[in-house]
Amino acid sequence: MKKIVVGVMFLLFMGVLIGCSSNEEASGKDGGEVKLSLWHPEGNTSKAYKKIIKDFNKEYDGEIEAEITFIPRGNKYAYEDKVSAGATSNTLPDLLALDGPNVANYADSGIIQPIEGLVENQDDFVGSIIKQGTFNNKLYTVGPTESTVALFYNVDMLKEAGIEPPKAKEEAWTWDEFYNAAKKLTDKEKGIYGVNWTLDYGEWIIYFTGPTVWSNGGSFISEDGSTVKGHVNGPKTVEALEYLKKFTDEELVNLQPTPTEFEDGKAAMMLMGSWEWSKLQDYPETEWGITYYPKSPNGEQVSPSGDWNWGISTSTQHKEEAATLLNYMMNKENVVKISEVENKPAARISSFELMEEWNEEPLNVLKDQVLNTAHPRPTTPSYPVLTTKYGQAVQNIFLGGDVQKELDKVAEEVEKDIERKGN
């Protein structure tokens, strides 16, 4: 009998030890603190995020400890490759940064989870950042900054040509007005182009041409995401690309521009991202301004949007603590810090109000577009295929390819991916 009692006592004791060990392992606690990990691409914001995480750890000392890892981007998709590998090996961090257009793909793949009801002051975020972070009517991500594309111009060149750029959104140039200005400003004898735009295979192509498509009533995919046929290759999209093709066909755009073509006075205008204004500070001899993205005569003024967001991974065992960290990073003051480092528009309205220089020319145009005309890129798990194939097609179009044929190819390839994924 004594042996039985001792045996039972031993089993109970071991059960307690195992239970404690399991609870400790599941909670990830060490000395009472929950450990959280974060991934973000290495870049301009690294120093700011390090300081934010340091301040967070100080404020939540004894409760939560966060560690952020910055992933070098040896190539354009090195970070995304790291995330894919982490998902495969089940080694994802608690929170991870992701580019806006990847939200649907990551959500559909089970990499990130919904954060509905966890974001503090959600109504304070600009509408485009919430729309970008939403998939299947559930919010998955939020981010500190936004972006846009506008028309930069050389003040002296436009003045010399007698061209007055629009100062208000309601006065934004129509397609014809923009085209006529570019044609007038082009001087082939002097090697001056009417407008500059970057031509690369990356995300830029769909980002900067998207507003031309949307403003014309075109689209890249159906609203329910079930098909791209009749959308990416539909008549309104084709018409928009035919319009842009005129610029390259008539050599109003340089197909092989130097990186500083606009800054060096070799292009009178430039369709470029909102981040470009800070780079122009290095060229004080060039007086420049910003006006609105041109619009279709058949539609309204539209501008692109989207930037890096934060999501909570499905691998985390600490969703509540991860949400606490997410909200800390996204508070009004920290959003200002990150926005100022990147020289980007803030994604929180209250943060934007603290950044007074964005209320004055020329940055007020960028702010106006972010708040009033922003349009996110397509939300679909097939987005990686869509943006790649579309980018290649537009390159071919600008080099003389047939618009309809090139976009038909895009529709065919993306449709295969949609069917494969069962979207």
Side-chain angles (χ1 to χ4, degrees):
M1 183 69 179
K2 186 175 180 181
K3 288 183 178 180
I4 294 174
V5 171
V6 171
V8 171
M9 292 292 290
F10 176 77
L11 289 173
L12 287 173
F13 177 68
M14 289 302 294
V16 170
L17 285 179
I18 292 169
C20 290
S21 176
S22 299
N23 288 338
E24 187 172 299
E25 184 177 343
S27 65
K29 292 183 180 181
D30 181 12
E33 286 187 327
V34 169
K35 307 288 188 180
L36 294 178
S37 57
L38 306 86
W39 285 358
H40 193 281
E42 191 174 53
N44 296 334
T45 58
S46 297
K47 188 175 180 180
Y49 272 120
K50 281 181 182 178
K51 179 67 166 60
I52 290 170
I53 296 302
K54 182 179 179 180
D55 292 343
F56 174 84
N57 287 338
K58 184 176 181 181
E59 184 168 331
Y60 286 86
D61 184 34
E63 300 176 51
I64 309 172
E65 182 180 8
E67 181 179 359
I68 188 166
T69 300
F70 299 101
I71 312 298
R73 303 196 77 179
N75 61 65
K76 287 185 177 180
Y77 300 106
Y79 178 79
E80 286 78 7
D81 291 343
K82 173 77 172 178
V83 172
S84 297
T88 302
S89 61
N90 197 31
T91 54
L92 288 171
D94 298 282
L95 291 99
L96 68 152
L98 61 152
D99 198 4
N102 290 329
V103 171
N105 187 31
Y106 281 19
D108 188 65
S109 301
I111 292 175
I112 54 176
Q113 59 180 295
I115 54 173
E116 200 76 35
L118 296 177
V119 179
E120 296 175 357
N121 302 318
Q122 183 175 314
D123 291 343
D124 190 36
F125 284 95
V126 296
S128 56
I129 210 77
I130 296 299
K131 188 172 182 180
Q132 173 187 261
T134 300
F135 176 64
N136 283 346
N137 298 316
K138 293 180 180 179
L139 183 66
Y140 280 82
T141 67
V142 288
T145 56
E146 254 294 6
S147 64
T148 188
V149 171
L151 186 62
F152 291 73
Y153 61 88
N154 184 301
V155 173
D156 293 334
M157 285 185 172
L158 266 67
K159 188 180 294 183
E160 187 177 327
I163 297 173
E164 184 67 31
K167 295 293 184 182
K169 181 171 77 275
E170 296 72 23
E171 301 169 0
W173 277 338
T174 62
W175 284 1
D176 285 344
E177 290 170 324
F178 176 44
Y179 166 76
N180 290 333
K183 196 167 185 177
K184 189 173 183 179
L185 290 162
T186 298
D187 189 331
K188 294 181 181 179
E189 290 185 3
K190 295 182 179 179
I192 296 174
Y193 292 86
V195 63
N196 165 279
W197 62 52
T198 302
L199 303 172
D200 65 35
Y201 278 116
E203 182 61 20
W204 170 251
I205 294 291
I206 197 169
Y207 183 67
F208 103 90
T209 64
T212 306
V213 172
W214 298 317
S215 179
N216 199 45
S219 58
F220 295 101
I221 192 169
S222 62
E223 286 190 17
D224 63 2
S226 63
T227 183
V228 293
K229 287 184 177 178
H231 295 272
V232 74
N233 61 338
K236 296 293 186 181
T237 305
V238 170
E239 185 180 25
L241 269 296
E242 291 279 11
Y243 165 71
L244 292 175
K245 189 174 185 289
K246 285 202 307 182
F247 287 78
T248 54
D249 283 350
E250 298 178 25
E251 297 182 356
L252 308 182
V253 171
N254 185 0
L255 289 174
Q256 294 182 312
T258 63
T260 57
E261 183 178 71
F262 176 77
E263 292 88 336
D264 296 334
K266 293 299 182 180
M269 299 182 291
M270 173 175 63
L271 270 176
M272 182 47 73
S274 46
W275 53 86
E276 188 67 19
W277 75 269
S278 63
K279 299 178 183 178
L280 291 173
Q281 310 303 315
D282 296 332
Y283 296 84
E285 68 281 1
T286 301
E287 187 179 358
W288 53 275
I290 305 174
T291 189
Y292 295 85
Y293 195 108
K295 63 182 179 181
S296 165
N298 303 314
E300 298 179 348
Q301 203 267 339
V302 181
S303 57
S305 67
D307 207 355
W308 284 78
N309 279 6
W310 284 99
I312 297 177
S313 82
T314 52
S315 298
T316 186
Q317 297 181 29
H318 317 291
K319 187 172 182 178
E320 183 180 339
E321 289 84 0
T324 298
L325 175 54
L326 176 64
N327 284 312
Y328 184 89
M329 291 192 296
M330 296 300 103
N331 71 34
K332 180 169 64 175
E333 293 75 20
N334 285 332
V335 165
V336 170
K337 291 175 186 175
I338 297 166
S339 300
E340 289 182 341
V341 168
E342 291 249 271
N343 294 305
K344 288 183 177 180
R348 270 200 184 277
I349 298 171
S350 60
S351 301
F352 231 157
E353 291 172 354
L354 298 176
M355 300 163 66
E356 295 182 2
E357 62 184 325
W358 291 82
N359 296 323
E360 307 296 331
E361 289 188 15
L363 300 186
N364 62 323
V365 171
L366 304 177
K367 181 176 181 178
D368 194 8
Q369 288 194 165
V370 167
L371 295 179
N372 298 303
T373 67
H375 192 301
R377 281 157 282 177
T379 301
T380 170
S382 294
Y383 185 82
V385 176
L386 172 60
T387 186
T388 300
K389 296 302 180 183
Y390 175 78
Q392 292 169 353
V394 172
Q395 285 272 13
N396 293 338
I397 288 167
F398 287 163
L399 291 171
D402 182 84
V403 176
Q404 186 69 65
K405 289 180 179 178
E406 290 294 336
L407 294 182
D408 284 345
K409 292 177 189 176
V410 177
E412 183 179 349
E413 290 299 319
V414 179
E415 203 69 19
K416 289 178 183 176
D417 192 68
I418 291 175
E419 291 173 4
R420 182 177 64 83
K421 291 181 176 176
N423 294 350

